[in-house]
């Protein structure tokens, strides 16, 4: 899978274009891999950058990254329906006029979300997995923790589990080699970073997340992998930017950011 505009040279798109399943409208600054991604504010509390990475020891990959400031934008987990329901991210994001949305939970053979999933304080899936990671958001505080560290008495507004933890305390752990499309999140204090990428090798992708901007990375101190491969999906509808990556699977829930506070 290759996305329009994510070439090795710099390019700005001034109109709509499409290739494969991705559609882009608006001006998109492209990072060519020799400097840190350059972010531009695209809505209150939401900034965006594109990237094209050429690791020395693995296949190149490209994608989009969004910084969500929890003091100015809302983040929620939207379910597809009942415990075994699945929809596309596009369907789950349809009611939001301005949105950045990606797939979140892994799911089992029955279509049920795997791990703990909490949205606006309501439990969507109760199967907490102690050895998985979790994005935990309470108010304007966001962090990524081990599942075993989530208290049984839940007071958090948003929890979604994934695996593996790609970055832990600024370091990349030993990771299983795998090439796949990627959906991931980073979290620290009042900011959540959402990253969607074309096929990327696990460790190379994690290094890009962890490297500081001075070394052309995103500077994530903690990062978590969500479901990927055919589940990776992205929907963006904002005044200055429209993106659509449909993926190949319906999923149990979607992580949705909306500009402004409710």
């Amino acid at each position: 899978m290759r996305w329009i505009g994510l070439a090795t040279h710099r390019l700005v798109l001034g109109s709509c274009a499409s290739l494969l399943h991705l559609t882009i409208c608006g001006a998109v600054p492209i990072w060519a891999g020799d400097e840190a991604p350059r972010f531009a504010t695209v809505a209150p509390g939401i900034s965006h950058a594109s990237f094209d990475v050429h690791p020395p020891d693995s296949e190149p990959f490209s994608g989009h990254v969004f910084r969500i400031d929890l003091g100015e934008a809302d983040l929620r987990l939207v379910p597809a329906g009942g415990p075994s329901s699945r929809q596309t991210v596009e369907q789950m994001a349809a009611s939001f006029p301005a949105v950045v949305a990606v797939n979140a939970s892994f799911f089992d053979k029955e279509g049920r979300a795997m791990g703990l999933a909490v949205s606006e304080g309501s439990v969507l899936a109760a199967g907490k997995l102690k050895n998985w990671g979790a994005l935990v958001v309470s108010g304007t505080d966001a962090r990524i923790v081990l599942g075993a560290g989530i208290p049984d008495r839940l007071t958090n507004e948003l929890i979604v589990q994934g695996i593996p933890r790609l970055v832990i305390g600024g370091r990349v752990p030993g990771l299983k080699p795998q090439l796949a499309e990627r959906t991931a999140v980073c979290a620290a204090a009042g900011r959540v970073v959402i990253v969607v990428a074309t096929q990327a090798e696990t460790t190379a992708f994690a290094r890009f997340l962890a490297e500081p901007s001075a070394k052309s990375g995103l500077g994530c101190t903690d990062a978590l992998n969500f479901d990927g491969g055919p589940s990776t999906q992205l929907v963006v509808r904002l005044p200055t930017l429209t993106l659509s990556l449909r993926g190949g699977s319906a999923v149990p829930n979607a992580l949705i950011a909306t500009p402004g506070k409710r």
Side-chain angles (χ1 to χ4, degrees):
M1 179 173 59
R2 194 67 174 171
W3 294 358
I4 187 73
L6 301 182
T8 56
H9 58 283
R10 302 183 191 282
L11 175 65
V12 175
L13 299 177
S15 59
C16 297
S18 64
L19 182 65
L20 297 181
H21 300 295
L22 180 76
T23 302
I24 299 177
C25 297
V28 182
I30 301 304
W31 177 68
D34 56 354
E35 60 185 46
R38 296 173 294 161
F39 284 85
T41 299
V42 289
I46 302 175
S47 56
H48 163 262
S50 300
F51 58 85
D52 191 3
V53 181
H54 292 256
D57 53 356
S58 62
E59 292 296 315
F61 58 90
S62 53
H64 294 272
V65 54
F66 295 86
R67 287 177 175 169
I68 312 300
D69 182 345
L70 297 177
E72 298 183 53
D74 279 329
L75 192 67
R76 70 196 86 188
L77 190 66
V78 174
S84 297
S85 298
R86 288 191 295 153
Q87 291 184 322
T88 64
V89 170
E90 186 173 27
Q91 289 173 316
M92 286 181 274
S95 64
F96 297 91
V99 68
V100 174
V102 295
N103 60 296
S105 293
F106 288 81
F107 56 92
D108 62 19
K109 293 180 179 179
E110 283 72 44
R112 298 171 298 193
M114 298 175 67
L116 186 61
V118 175
S119 179
E120 300 179 277
S122 298
V123 177
L124 306 179
K128 181 172 72 174
L129 298 170
K130 295 183 178 181
N131 294 327
W132 285 33
L135 169 66
V136 178
V137 179
S138 182
T140 58
D141 179 69
R143 53 202 168 95
I144 290 172
V145 301
L146 191 64
I150 302 171
D152 292 331
R153 187 180 181 86
L154 298 175
T155 59
N156 304 101
E157 298 170 9
L158 187 155
I159 302 174
V160 58
Q161 288 201 265
I163 195 173
R165 294 175 71 184
L166 297 166
V167 184
I168 304 174
R171 297 180 178 273
V172 176
L175 296 167
K176 179 181 178 180
Q178 186 181 36
L179 190 66
E181 288 85 5
R182 302 282 173 183
T183 304
V185 290
C186 308
R191 175 182 288 170
V192 172
V193 177
I194 299 172
V195 188
V196 175
T198 58
Q199 284 198 357
E201 195 279 322
T202 314
T203 298
F205 180 62
R207 287 173 180 164
F208 167 65
L209 300 179
E211 289 284 7
S213 58
K215 294 185 177 180
S216 304
L218 293 180
C220 296
T221 55
D222 290 281
L224 179 65
N225 192 68
F226 283 165
D227 198 6
S231 292
T232 287
Q233 297 166 57
L234 171 67
V235 174
V236 180
R237 287 194 303 274
L238 297 172
T240 60
L241 182 65
T242 299
L243 300 171
S244 178
L245 177 65
R246 295 185 177 181
S249 295
V251 293
N253 50 47
L255 185 67
I256 287 182
T258 53
K261 298 297 290 184
R262 285 172 286 178

